[in-house]
Amino acid sequence: MSVETFTPETANDIGAKIGFVSLGCPKNLVDSERILTQLRTEGYDIVNSYNNANLVIVNTCGFIDSAVQESLDAIGEALAENGKVIVTGCLGAKDDEIREVHPNVLAITGPHAYEEVMGHVHKYVPTPERVPFENLVPDTGVKLTPRHYAYLKISEGCNHRCTFCIIPSMRGDLVSRPIGDVLSEAQRLANAGVKELLVISQDTSAYGVDVKHKTGFWDGQPVKTSMLALCEALGKLGIWVRLHYVYPYPSVDDVIPLMAAGKILPYLDIPLQHANKRILRLMKRPGSAERTLERIQNWRKICPDLTIRSTFIVGFPGETDEEFEELLQFLRDAQLDRVGCFTYSDVEGAKANDLPDPVPEHIKQERYERFMQVQQEISAARLQAKIGRTLTVLIDEVDNEGAIGRSYADAPEIDGLVYLNGEHNVQPGDRVEVLIEHADEYDLWGSLV
């Protein structure tokens, strides 16, 4: 995912204008928001033109080869158009790789290195003089999302060592944010009118493991540093709360009743990656397909409206035809609502690169197409079952054709949409009741009740 280049602000006249390019996942976007907030706090203006900027910051992604190339291209464009560039983010962990292509960048830092980035900014663009009592930053900080939803990052890093992934080498081991800080941020966002919080991390289920789930404090009350306690507290804010990057640990079972009770959205984003035991071991992924299926069935008994999205990899080194067929059967058995699929590709520094028996590219593509065909049929059937139901929809935008929003089952940018053709009497951020009248493989159409 890539957010729009720069955030427009009125440039000041004192030569402290910063351009910003943010690339990558929502976790990277939150890092960008934190840097932009600090820049505005110190009086820097954020401008939407290379020409107006005294310096450009590029927050990069480095997870897969295409993301690396996109980041290198963005750095090159910023250098060509402006000349003064600071690089941060995941690709920043590969200093040599960046300097080999772009030796003229001013400085490079790794991910979530906010203070280091600001130190480099101070070196090249002195902190501007501020007008006394001038309000530069809202209570929520600078946000790159629409006003009605926001990402809430609860931790950094990851303790897993998946063989296809290099995130721990870039972002380090799990470090959970203090529960009081997380909940205070959530409260500020809710007070500012945010209608939906998207909880993100590398491993949301593991929140608090690194601090042994110690007790923190929020609003004068003790709160345990755990996913369950976090969800219980967030559920009291009266807004949508959506969980992302949740591993199917037993602890997730405790959260499902909160979803059934309407405290948080009945939605789980679970990156399962595969279903075959041998492939999962090669990937160094936790869990097994049998236990996962059993867990999903139990969750749906407690919360029938539960929506589950997941991601999978096909063509992992050594994957046989039989193992791929097992994955397809898992899809049919699990009946997941939303699924993304990737063909395996080597990532520089990943241990899976050294595994034997790579799958030929044409077979990867054939498997991808078969996978998506099976899942499309499942998704279409599950959406057809919603025709005739009335769903709460959060409006994202209104254009010439009508309103566009999302139900509880749809996360922004990655899931489907709900179209209200001809409806113009609503605003982004409104929550409305919609009678579902039509569906295809991914989206729904309906009218206001």
Side-chain angles (χ1 to χ4, degrees):
M1 184 191 76
S2 165
V3 301
E4 294 178 5
T5 303
F6 306 128
T7 52
E9 297 281 351
T10 302
N12 61 22
D13 298 321
I14 56 178
K17 306 166 189 174
I18 307 296
F20 204 102
V21 180
S22 183
L23 305 169
C25 65
K27 294 176 283 293
N28 225 35
L29 182 135
V30 173
D31 290 345
S32 295
E33 291 175 339
R34 287 194 60 176
I35 296 169
L36 287 166
T37 297
Q38 188 59 38
L39 287 166
R40 294 296 291 130
T41 298
E42 295 187 14
Y44 292 92
D45 270 330
I46 313 301
V47 297
N48 63 345
S49 167
Y50 288 118
N51 294 332
N52 290 337
N54 301 107
L55 178 148
V56 177
I57 300 171
V58 181
N59 191 8
T60 59
C61 179
F63 181 47
I64 57 177
D65 290 346
S66 59
V68 170
Q69 190 58 53
E70 181 185 18
S71 294
L72 290 173
D73 290 346
I75 296 167
E77 178 181 296
L79 282 169
E81 296 292 334
N82 181 276
K84 296 181 179 180
V85 177
I86 290 174
V87 177
T88 188
C90 286
L91 188 59
K94 301 179 179 179
D95 186 297
D96 294 343
E97 186 172 333
I98 294 172
R99 291 199 180 277
E100 183 178 342
V101 181
H102 300 301
N104 295 326
V105 296
L106 297 177
I108 299 172
T109 78
H112 55 84
Y114 319 116
E115 293 182 3
E116 197 174 347
V117 170
M118 291 307 301
H120 292 307
V121 171
H122 297 155
K123 179 178 179 181
Y124 295 103
V125 183
T127 305
E129 294 181 11
R130 288 176 51 182
V131 178
F133 310 114
E134 182 180 10
N135 184 17
L136 298 173
V137 184
D139 289 341
T140 57
V142 176
K143 292 294 174 188
L144 297 176
T145 51
R147 293 182 63 181
H148 60 280
Y149 71 81
Y151 292 102
L152 182 68
K153 185 159 68 168
I154 63 173
S155 64
E156 298 283 1
C158 181
N159 288 342
H160 294 290
R161 294 297 182 265
C162 302
T163 57
F164 56 82
C165 180
I166 56 172
I167 293 298
S169 67
M170 295 177 170
R171 290 185 171 264
D173 290 336
L174 175 72
V175 178
S176 299
R177 289 181 63 195
I179 186 81
D181 291 356
V182 173
L183 293 174
S184 294
E185 180 181 350
Q187 183 70 71
R188 288 195 300 274
L189 290 166
N191 292 345
V194 167
K195 302 294 180 63
E196 177 181 13
L197 288 176
L198 300 109
V199 177
I200 58 170
S201 66
Q202 293 299 142
D203 180 0
T204 296
S205 310
Y207 178 63
V209 166
D210 55 312
V211 294
K212 299 181 180 179
H213 300 301
K214 73 177 182 180
T215 298
F217 289 87
W218 175 63
D219 199 23
Q221 299 294 320
V223 187
K224 192 176 180 181
T225 308
S226 70
M227 183 175 69
L228 176 60
L230 174 68
C231 290
E232 288 173 338
L234 293 176
K236 297 174 182 177
L237 296 179
I239 59 177
W240 280 9
V241 176
R242 189 182 302 277
L243 301 182
H244 286 275
Y245 315 115
V246 178
Y247 281 70
Y249 301 143
S251 60
V252 180
D253 299 351
D254 298 330
V255 176
I256 304 301
L258 295 178
M259 298 180 175
K263 302 296 185 183
I264 64 175
L265 291 182
Y267 179 99
L268 282 175
D269 176 4
I270 305 175
L272 295 171
Q273 308 301 4
H274 213 279
N276 173 264
K277 283 184 179 180
R278 189 183 74 88
I279 296 297
L280 287 171
R281 282 198 300 269
L282 289 175
M283 291 179 169
K284 289 196 173 179
R285 296 289 293 177
S288 71
E290 292 85 355
R291 286 200 298 272
T292 299
L293 274 176
E294 182 181 348
R295 186 156 283 136
I296 288 171
Q297 291 165 359
N298 289 335
W299 292 342
R300 284 178 169 155
K301 287 178 184 176
I302 298 169
C303 184
D305 280 339
L306 177 64
T307 290
I308 300 175
R309 97 168 316 275
S310 189
T311 51
F312 294 86
I313 297 172
V314 298
F316 193 79
E319 182 190 56
T320 65
D321 289 340
E322 292 77 12
E323 289 165 339
F324 174 67
E325 292 295 338
E326 186 179 336
L327 175 57
L328 293 185
Q329 189 57 49
F330 174 84
L331 282 185
R332 298 184 185 103
D333 293 339
Q335 293 288 300
L336 303 176
D337 301 84
R338 307 286 192 185
V339 170
C341 181
F342 303 90
T343 57
Y344 172 81
S345 62
D346 286 346
V347 175
E348 184 179 349
K351 293 184 178 180
N353 301 349
D354 300 326
L355 292 173
D357 304 318
V359 177
E361 289 299 324
H362 72 278
I363 294 180
K364 290 181 190 177
Q365 189 59 33
E366 288 172 4
R367 291 177 181 174
Y368 170 82
E369 291 171 1
R370 286 190 61 203
F371 180 102
M372 292 307 299
Q373 182 178 0
V374 169
Q375 182 56 39
Q376 279 181 1
E377 294 171 0
I378 295 169
S379 297
R382 294 189 71 80
L383 288 179
Q384 286 289 323
K386 295 183 179 181
I387 294 175
R389 291 185 59 186
T390 298
L391 300 178
T392 302
V393 171
L394 180 64
I395 301 299
D396 281 335
E397 62 176 303
V398 181
D399 61 18
N400 293 334
E401 296 185 8
I404 305 169
R406 294 174 290 107
S407 74
Y408 74 89
D410 309 304
E413 299 193 7
I414 56 175
D415 291 330
L417 298 168
V418 181
Y419 292 94
L420 286 76
N421 292 343
E423 181 57 62
H424 294 94
N425 294 322
V426 292
Q427 300 292 328
D430 287 351
R431 279 195 289 194
V432 297
E433 298 301 305
V434 175
L435 175 64
I436 303 303
E437 300 165 333
H438 176 69
D440 64 11
E441 293 89 351
Y442 302 107
D443 300 315
L444 298 171
W445 283 258
S447 57
L448 290 183
V449 175

